Amino acid sequence: MNVEKRYILRRIADEYCLVPFGSAVWDNKDIITISEAAALLYEHIQEVRGISELAELLVEKYGIDMESAVNDTREFTQYLKDNDIIRFS
């Protein structure tokens, strides 16, 4: 998975946000608010080889079961793909 260089992860007060910059500002001016868990995934999305490795981060950090972690990770990465924030390689 590759992150498109159009959004920056920022913590604003007690919320995590994906803030558009560059050409993304013209395409979509919305700031996307995400959860702490989603921010963890976004921070590491380029360092891992796939959904399972990414999901392991949720298991380690939050102690959830692997099946839930994989489902949540798939849902989040699909949302990012659908909004042109990442692309699958």
Side-chain angles (χ1 to χ4, degrees):
M1 290 174 268
N2 294 313
V3 175
E4 297 292 330
K5 305 287 188 217
R6 299 164 22 112
Y7 288 83
I8 299 172
L9 177 64
R10 292 286 185 246
R11 185 170 184 178
I12 302 171
D14 60 346
E15 294 185 330
Y16 291 90
C17 302
L18 294 175
V19 180
F21 75 97
S23 64
V25 172
W26 301 111
D27 297 339
N28 179 0
K29 296 180 182 176
D30 295 334
I31 292 175
I32 302 167
T33 303
I34 59 175
S35 68
E36 179 182 335
L40 174 70
L41 296 177
Y42 188 80
E43 287 178 319
H44 296 281
I45 206 162
Q46 292 191 117
E47 301 167 9
V48 297
R49 287 186 223 131
I51 298 291
S52 295
E53 280 187 30
L54 205 52
E56 285 177 22
L57 295 171
L58 296 179
V59 172
E60 291 172 13
K61 173 91 177 179
Y62 299 104
I64 63 174
D65 64 278
M66 188 61 166
E67 183 179 350
S68 296
V70 167
N71 289 337
D72 292 348
T73 301
R74 277 194 183 122
E75 184 178 325
F76 179 62
T77 56
Q78 188 62 49
Y79 172 82
L80 294 177
K81 182 180 181 290
D82 291 346
N83 287 280
D84 296 322
I85 298 170
I86 65 167
R87 58 186 157 80
F88 295 123
S89 11

